[in-house]
Amino acid sequence: MTPARIVDAVLALDALSDLPRTGWLLRGITPCESIAAHSYSVAVLTGMIVDRLRIEGLEVDGERALRLALLHDAAEARTGDVPMPAKSPELRAAMRSAQRRLVHGMLPASMASHFDEAALGETLEARIVRSADKLQMLCKALRYQQQGWQGLDEFFAAASVRDEGIEPVRALYAEVFRRAGRELP
């Protein structure tokens, strides 16, 4: 990887720090979390889940999981954050294809492959990141709820539990919903 390629990738991804998470913005929450802040929180949560799974005796590639978490929304540096309700199955399929092309143009192949792995969600590490992505959104909704923001019911109501068959993740969902005073779906 050349120095020029590294600088180009860093500059391309830097847009994530300026782009808001659209779902929060649409509900009037300002200032709201950026995509970069979300990715950072997903990475931290991923690390905690990896640690918990290792305590339980599972073998997990923690570095790979963290790389997936850091890059799982890399395409949004170019596309912005398209909120969930706007994503029909057709739009999701078209976006996946476009996002893959964008990421492969922005990042070195070794890093773009982490984006691809996260998007496919087939490995244990990718499933951890998928879980952490949804859990982080719910934790942020809980935080905004605690700050007095309204209009967050749909985040909890529409939140399908994405535990990916990982028991400690199920317990995290239960704790978030308990603190939010809501029934676990």
Side-chain angles (χ1 to χ4, degrees):
M1 199 175 340
T2 68
R5 183 73 165 131
I6 292 171
V7 171
D8 287 344
V10 169
L11 292 174
L13 293 173
D14 188 63
L16 295 171
S17 62
D18 297 324
L19 294 168
R21 296 267 289 165
T22 309
W24 307 129
L25 202 57
L26 290 173
R27 278 138 195 100
I29 299 172
T30 55
C32 67
E33 169 186 53
S34 70
I35 299 169
H38 162 73
S39 293
Y40 169 79
S41 294
V42 170
V44 170
L45 184 53
T46 294
M48 291 179 194
I49 293 169
V50 165
D51 288 349
R52 181 72 202 154
L53 292 174
R54 286 177 174 166
I55 288 169
E56 294 188 5
L58 280 172
E59 191 171 312
V60 183
D61 185 337
E63 178 185 347
R64 195 163 101 229
L66 290 173
R67 286 173 177 261
L68 300 179
L70 289 169
L71 296 170
H72 81 281
D73 280 337
E76 292 182 13
R78 296 277 199 260
T79 66
D81 181 27
V82 179
M84 287 185 298
K87 293 180 185 173
S88 67
E90 296 79 18
L91 180 57
R92 284 181 205 274
M95 283 185 66
R96 274 192 297 271
S97 176
Q99 287 175 335
R100 187 172 189 281
R101 281 193 314 277
L102 289 169
V103 168
H104 281 264
M106 281 191 302
L107 299 176
S110 62
M111 296 189 85
S113 69
H114 294 303
F115 173 85
D116 293 340
E117 183 179 345
L120 287 173
E122 295 174 350
T123 64
L124 173 60
E125 291 77 11
R127 291 181 11 247
I128 291 167
V129 171
R130 281 180 172 231
S131 297
D133 186 32
K134 179 71 82 167
L135 274 165
Q136 188 281 336
M137 183 269 302
L138 289 169
C139 285
K140 195 63 176 182
L142 172 62
R143 180 78 171 123
Y144 286 143
Q145 177 182 297
Q146 290 170 338
Q147 292 173 343
W149 291 99
Q150 303 295 310
L152 302 171
D153 292 343
E154 70 184 278
F155 285 94
F156 292 100
S160 57
V161 174
R162 186 183 275 173
D163 64 17
E164 300 287 339
I166 305 167
E167 184 51 42
V169 169
R170 183 100 176 133
L172 289 168
Y173 274 100
E175 181 62 16
V176 170
F177 277 82
R178 183 191 69 73
R179 289 186 186 203
R182 299 168 186 272
E183 293 279 326
L184 186 65

